[in-house]
Amino acid sequence: MTDRDSRPEGGPTDSTVTVRVRDIDGKRVTDLSVERGTVLRDALLDAGISPYARLTKRVNCSGRGLCATCGVRIRSGEPTPDNWHDDLAARFGYPRLSCQIHVDESMTVELVEKAVWGGRE
């Protein structure tokens, strides 16, 4: 199993949605066409966009929701939290774990600065 094998099993869906990704400073915006049900972390990595900091890019939990290093801010289209960490994130304003978000609707995502884990490259 690879890092990105957390997609739902079964055949691909016919419908896609748009995920708009903003860089930390908001100057670079990338629109991704993503199949419904895809894990946000996987969609980002497939597009060459890392939700990780420099150090956690190689050392992370591979999308199991344990290390809390793939956090992003959802600026629009935020799905209902269904993970304990995301419940806390929603309550206290923390970034959401991209590995625990299934993309079912269009959304806007913002990458966050990760100074604790070596910052972004």
Side-chain angles (χ1 to χ4, degrees):
M1 179 184 235
T2 66
D3 279 1
R4 292 179 275 207
D5 284 341
S6 56
R7 289 182 180 86
E9 292 186 10
T13 62
D14 294 334
S15 60
T16 60
V17 293
T18 300
V19 174
R20 176 164 282 176
V21 183
R22 292 185 181 153
D23 205 353
I24 295 167
D25 58 12
K27 292 181 181 175
R28 193 173 88 200
V29 176
T30 305
D31 286 340
L32 308 176
S33 181
V34 177
E35 289 183 24
R36 290 182 192 271
T38 300
V39 174
L40 179 58
R41 173 190 171 272
D42 296 344
L44 293 171
L45 291 174
D46 287 346
I49 301 170
S50 177
Y52 297 107
R54 189 177 58 223
L55 298 176
T56 60
K57 198 180 264 189
R58 298 194 193 286
V59 181
N60 58 68
C61 69
S62 300
R64 293 180 184 89
L66 301 173
C67 70
T69 61
C70 65
V72 297
R73 296 219 182 265
I74 309 295
R75 294 300 184 197
S76 70
E78 185 165 12
T80 303
D82 62 357
N83 172 280
W84 67 270
H85 183 279
D86 285 342
D87 280 335
L88 292 175
R91 189 177 313 160
F92 297 109
Y94 302 141
R96 299 269 309 263
L97 299 181
S98 63
C99 69
Q100 299 300 307
I101 296 174
H102 285 56
V103 179
D104 292 319
E105 301 297 329
S106 292
M107 63 177 60
T108 299
V109 175
E110 185 175 87
L111 301 177
V112 296
E113 182 58 47
K114 313 250 176 144
V116 173
W117 295 107
R120 292 201 171 268
E121 295 180 57

